Amino acid sequence: MKKILLAMALLPAFTVATRAAEDKNFDYHVDRFADIEVLRYEVPEFNDLSLNQKLMLYYLSEAAQSGRDITWDQNGRYNLRIRKLLENVYRNYTGSKETADYKAFEKYLKQVWFGNGIHHHYSTDKFTPEFPQAFLEEQIALLPAGSLPLTQGQTVEEFKAEIFPVIFDPAVMAKRVFQDGSQDVIVNSASNLYGEGVTQAEVEAYFDSVKVPNDTTPISYGLNTRLVKKDGRLVEEPYHLNGLYGPAIAKIIYWLDKAKGVAENDAQKEYITKLIDYYITGDLKLFDEYSILWVEETDGTVDFVNGFIESYGDPLGMTGTYESYVNFKNKKASARTETISGNAQWFEDNSPVDPRFKKDEVKGVSAKVITAAMLAGDAFPSTAIGINLPNANWIRAAHGSKSVTLENITEAYDMASHGNGFNEEFVIDQPTIKLLEDYLYITDMLHTDLHECLGHASGQLLPGVDPDALKENGSALEEARADLFALYYLADPKLLELGIIDNPDAYKAEYYKYMLNGLMTQLNRIEPGKDIEEAHMRNRQLIAKWVLDHAGKGKNAAVELVKKNGKTYVQINDYAKMRGLIGQLLAEIQRIKSEGDYKAGNDLIQKYAVKVDPKLHKEVLERYSTLDIPPYRGFVNPVYHLVYDDNGNVIDVTLDYTEGYADQMLRLSDNYGFLE
Ligand code: ZN
């Protein structure tokens, strides 16, 4: 998986108290509109870095933001001009700000900022303005024609005729990424990754003609080009210093070069040099060479991604959208994952699994935990919480990949959920709420670490067993295996001995949340009458329902569903017994996998993972609807300031967290508006 998304705000609905946050009064909430909440994130331990490391982060942040307009233009050919028009109206508006039209206009602009264009960042549907065309027309009439983003020789009337349908007509450019394969996905996509009039068949034929057959180290074809039709022929227009997006790329190069000057080691200098060469030439072979140097550099504290990386914006998955993540290693949290991976053999040897299904020699997967310092391009304002790069399969196979978790982003999501009413609505009593507040954050993180570093890496197939024997249930059962491994060891005294947890009861927070989520709250993502389809959701319900089913009845039940005031709650009476059940199910699912027992696996899935109790489902949906939890969230970045001494030397870099959403967006347009 390339990118771990926290697409719905439902996952981090729990709250916590113990964490690395430096400022207890840090305000995570910035703005709220439409289906969006904007948060800010803290950059803990920034002040512990050396001046050179801080400067490197500063220069890389400047490089990151310099590419902002590229993302906007890639997302749609009118986006930059529409943004200029809307911001012009917004800045010069003198009427009442209390009218419905103005409020609708402001909401629309905030949506456009969040989408890096006129389409929703997640659904990719075009936004619908809730103000009339007449409102915008009146506002345009008040502005000097010279301040409008007209093209060469265009009149204001021509400009309106060109732009208004793009904003107001729902049929024009309706979807940014059109994926219905029964129609032409290129012609029907509104993005600007392909030229006007280019068809899907033409794109496919073009790339078939240029691809080198039997190439074991292929370049990422089309990654940094717009394919357009010129005089009836298809040509690629590459993004580079002297090509498309040159003015923005020139700035990126300038700041990358400054970062190189303060890099921590020669390996960093080498990969930055290679990245600059790639930006100068657009040569994708250089991008591959850069990716290899980058993935192999693991000594530095500061790290970053900057380029045309993920191709979700292209229905054919070829062209990368500009993005940048600037970050530095979270040493404390990375020590946690290194400790876990370093003890992988102990965990394997002591698991409740039949010895025949265990690995004699297991190697934990090491994942780095990082602190995000700047999000930009396609990673802003909406961002991933984990990244795994590079994307080229042959580079991953031969040189590995970097897998990282953005802990301060996860933390901000979590902290911002505090007080959203979720715990009060769904958690059974005050002591359990307190348990979750104290320990869910750390045990959730540990669960992910154990799942990723050990769970998937553990166990072995018996000789001759087909790895695909579990067929369509393979991924749900594999996720269940990794989750069970993690849950089983969360309650193990070994974690105390290793010093990664400080309370033997902490695991109860994760156990409670896991049961609540698997039995009830995840149903909020299922439409009434539908079954559970998604593999992770099936896995969670499988585990939770199986444990409930085997927990015993009446007074002796380890776990039960109880009614209070007509509402259903999860009640856990015996956590130790629940851990025993987790161990039993882990042993059974490992057996199913090791033996390739399709029938037993399918029986488990059908009995526990797919079907939904319609009455409980309805209750969960109703209780959720009373809470005000926004479906999508994103971030503003901190503002970086250089501090000088009296002689004009930089002596420090400081962070300012006070900037609001609209202010940040307008400042970015002022300072990084490098494209027309
Ligand atoms: Zn997994």
Side-chain angles (χ1 to χ4, degrees):
M1 176 185 258
K2 300 193 280 191
K3 187 164 166 181
I4 304 145
L5 284 169
L6 233 167
M8 300 289 154
L10 312 172
L11 285 176
F14 295 86
T15 58
V16 198
T18 38
R19 72 225 14 278
E22 292 182 337
D23 179 0
K24 290 270 178 287
N25 298 315
F26 191 82
D27 184 5
Y28 290 89
H29 301 274
V30 178
D31 207 345
R32 178 78 208 267
F33 50 89
D35 55 354
I36 302 289
E37 183 174 27
V38 180
L39 307 173
R40 61 169 63 83
Y41 60 92
E42 200 177 10
V43 187
E45 274 129 44
F46 181 81
N47 292 328
D48 301 341
L49 300 172
S50 71
L51 178 58
N52 264 10
Q53 288 170 329
K54 288 179 186 174
L55 275 173
M56 191 176 172
L57 290 167
Y58 172 82
Y59 295 141
L60 291 171
S61 294
E62 290 294 315
Q65 298 182 112
S66 295
R68 178 182 188 234
D69 280 1
I70 299 176
T71 309
W72 281 73
D73 192 70
Q74 287 183 299
N75 283 348
R77 62 180 58 86
Y78 297 102
N79 280 339
L80 286 170
R81 289 168 70 210
I82 289 175
R83 187 185 81 202
K84 283 171 192 168
L85 172 67
L86 298 176
E87 288 179 351
N88 198 351
V89 170
Y90 183 77
R91 289 176 203 257
N92 294 295
Y93 184 78
T94 52
S96 162
K97 295 192 171 173
E98 298 307 315
T99 64
D101 283 355
Y102 179 79
K103 287 190 167 154
F105 168 77
E106 188 180 34
K107 173 176 156 188
Y108 178 71
L109 175 55
K110 286 183 173 183
Q111 288 180 292
V112 171
W113 278 330
F114 200 90
N116 294 310
I118 58 171
H119 299 90
H120 192 277
H121 72 284
Y122 191 76
S123 72
T124 81
D125 292 330
K126 195 165 85 167
F127 296 122
T128 310
E130 290 163 10
F131 56 91
Q133 190 169 312
F135 173 84
L136 193 54
E137 245 170 302
E138 283 163 27
Q139 294 305 317
I140 289 175
L142 297 170
L143 295 168
S147 73
L148 296 172
L150 310 177
T151 54
Q152 189 79 43
Q154 194 175 38
T155 67
V156 175
E157 285 312 309
E158 286 163 354
F159 169 69
K160 288 195 290 189
E162 183 189 18
I163 294 290
F164 278 6
V166 180
I167 297 177
F168 293 102
D169 184 344
V172 175
M173 302 179 88
K175 205 157 180 81
R176 178 163 61 81
V177 190
F178 182 89
Q179 313 220 60
D180 173 0
S182 67
Q183 293 171 66
D184 188 314
V185 297
I186 298 299
V187 169
N188 288 291
S189 287
S191 79
N192 192 21
L193 304 176
Y194 297 90
E196 277 182 283
V198 177
T199 68
Q200 180 178 352
E202 286 170 335
V203 174
E204 286 166 352
Y206 172 83
F207 282 109
D208 280 347
S209 76
V210 296
K211 278 185 185 166
V212 180
N214 305 318
D215 187 352
T216 54
T217 58
I219 57 165
S220 302
Y221 288 96
L223 187 71
N224 64 340
T225 63
R226 177 158 69 200
L227 189 60
V228 300
K229 219 182 260 181
K230 268 194 182 144
D231 308 323
R233 279 183 54 241
L234 287 167
V235 278
E236 285 183 80
E237 293 182 331
Y239 311 152
H240 63 62
L241 180 60
N242 297 305
L244 264 185
Y245 305 142
I249 289 171
K251 299 287 183 181
I252 295 173
I253 293 171
Y254 172 84
W255 290 111
L256 287 177
D257 192 55
K258 300 279 269 184
K260 190 175 108 181
V262 291
E264 297 170 279
N265 57 50
D266 288 343
Q268 283 179 343
K269 284 189 179 144
E270 213 186 327
Y271 82 66
I272 297 174
T273 304
K274 198 66 89 172
L275 180 60
I276 291 173
D277 290 347
Y278 159 65
Y279 268 131
I280 292 172
T281 59
D283 180 351
L284 285 168
K285 277 222 175 335
L286 292 177
F287 180 67
D288 286 344
E289 289 171 21
Y290 148 78
S291 297
I292 293 166
L293 292 170
W294 174 76
V295 82
E296 290 182 342
E297 195 286 304
T298 53
D299 291 337
T301 297
V302 175
D303 202 352
F304 71 101
V305 173
N306 183 309
F308 310 103
I309 309 292
E310 305 289 3
S311 53
Y312 304 107
D314 178 353
L316 296 178
M318 302 187 76
T319 304
T321 307
Y322 174 81
E323 71 173 29
S324 184
Y325 290 90
V326 179
N327 65 79
F328 59 95
K329 189 170 174 179
N330 179 331
K331 293 221 167 85
K332 217 168 120 193
S334 296
R336 186 182 76 207
T337 54
E338 282 155 18
T339 302
I340 290 170
S341 291
N343 286 277
Q345 194 65 51
W346 185 92
F347 288 102
E348 183 76 353
D349 293 345
N350 290 279
S351 86
V353 159
D354 185 320
R356 291 180 302 140
F357 309 142
K358 291 185 185 180
K359 277 198 177 102
D360 292 334
E361 235 178 280
V362 63
K363 222 177 154 294
V365 179
S366 207
K368 183 165 77 160
V369 181
I370 60 170
T371 301
M374 184 60 66
L375 310 166
D378 200 32
F380 170 82
S382 171
T383 182
I385 56 165
I387 1 172
N388 192 333
L389 292 171
N391 283 331
N393 284 322
W394 68 268
I395 298 180
R396 298 171 71 87
H399 304 274
S401 65
K402 279 186 188 171
S403 176
V404 302
T405 317
L406 288 71
E407 186 152 299
N408 60 328
I409 297 296
T410 311
E411 177 174 32
Y413 276 133
D414 184 272
M415 290 298 275
S417 302
H418 196 94
N420 67 8
F422 179 93
N423 285 355
E424 290 68 21
E425 180 58 45
F426 288 107
V427 178
I428 186 160
D429 53 28
Q430 208 49 48
T432 312
I433 291 177
K434 175 86 169 75
L435 176 74
L436 298 183
E437 284 178 349
D438 287 350
Y439 285 103
L440 189 63
Y441 179 73
I442 180 66
T443 53
D444 238 2
M445 288 283 184
L446 273 176
H447 180 268
T448 306
D449 296 342
L450 291 164
H451 175 115
E452 300 293 347
C453 301
L454 302 178
H456 284 306
S458 77
Q460 64 174 0
L461 302 182
L462 291 183
V465 170
D466 176 0
D468 298 322
L470 305 179
K471 297 185 212 168
E472 75 279 10
N473 300 318
S475 35
L477 290 168
E478 175 58 18
E479 291 310 320
R481 198 175 70 87
D483 262 1
L484 288 162
F485 199 94
L487 289 168
Y488 181 79
Y489 277 117
L490 262 183
D492 201 285
K494 185 74 177 176
L495 298 190
L496 286 148
E497 185 194 315
L498 292 173
I500 44 188
I501 211 155
D502 64 2
N503 182 331
D505 290 329
Y507 77 94
K508 293 177 180 173
E510 183 71 13
Y511 275 31
Y512 189 85
K513 175 221 133 168
Y514 202 93
M515 293 302 286
L516 172 58
N517 188 47
L519 292 173
M520 293 178 55
T521 49
Q522 74 164 0
L523 296 177
N524 185 46
R525 291 200 266 162
I526 304 290
E527 285 175 42
K530 294 257 166 76
D531 288 342
I532 297 182
E533 305 273 354
E534 202 272 327
H536 291 83
M537 292 181 70
R538 283 190 168 186
N539 137 49
R540 292 183 200 120
Q541 180 169 297
L542 163 63
I543 293 174
K545 276 205 164 169
W546 188 92
V547 167
L548 183 70
D549 201 28
H550 292 75
K553 291 277 174 281
K555 271 208 171 113
N556 294 322
V559 185
E560 54 185 329
L561 286 178
V562 298
K563 287 267 187 191
K564 261 173 57 175
N565 305 324
K567 291 179 178 178
T568 311
Y569 293 89
V570 171
Q571 179 165 309
I572 301 185
N573 303 313
D574 188 340
Y575 282 93
K577 189 172 165 196
M578 179 176 154
R579 187 195 183 207
L581 294 171
I582 298 282
Q584 262 182 46
L585 186 57
L586 171 60
E588 171 59 5
I589 291 185
Q590 182 63 58
R591 181 198 68 75
I592 288 170
K593 175 156 175 139
S594 292
E595 295 180 351
D597 187 346
Y598 173 82
K599 183 171 182 310
N602 193 50
D603 287 349
L604 275 181
I605 293 284
Q606 295 309 327
K607 184 163 181 197
Y608 296 108
V610 180
K611 290 289 169 206
V612 175
D613 170 0
K615 248 181 83 186
L616 185 59
H617 189 190
K618 187 161 171 273
E619 181 191 325
V620 169
L621 293 176
E622 281 169 8
R623 287 165 70 183
Y624 244 111
S625 69
T626 64
L627 304 172
D628 183 29
I629 299 181
Y632 303 98
R633 300 196 285 189
F635 293 91
V636 292
N637 286 303
V639 185
Y640 287 68
H641 295 294
L642 296 179
V643 181
Y644 296 90
D645 68 8
D646 292 342
N647 302 319
N649 303 310
V650 177
I651 51 166
D652 201 3
V653 182
T654 57
L655 301 188
D656 179 348
Y657 296 107
T658 58
E659 192 170 44
Y661 177 63
D663 288 340
Q664 178 150 116
M665 291 298 166
L666 294 171
R667 180 178 58 82
L668 292 175
S669 297
D670 283 343
N671 295 357
Y672 307 95
F674 298 130
L675 300 178
E676 298 281 302

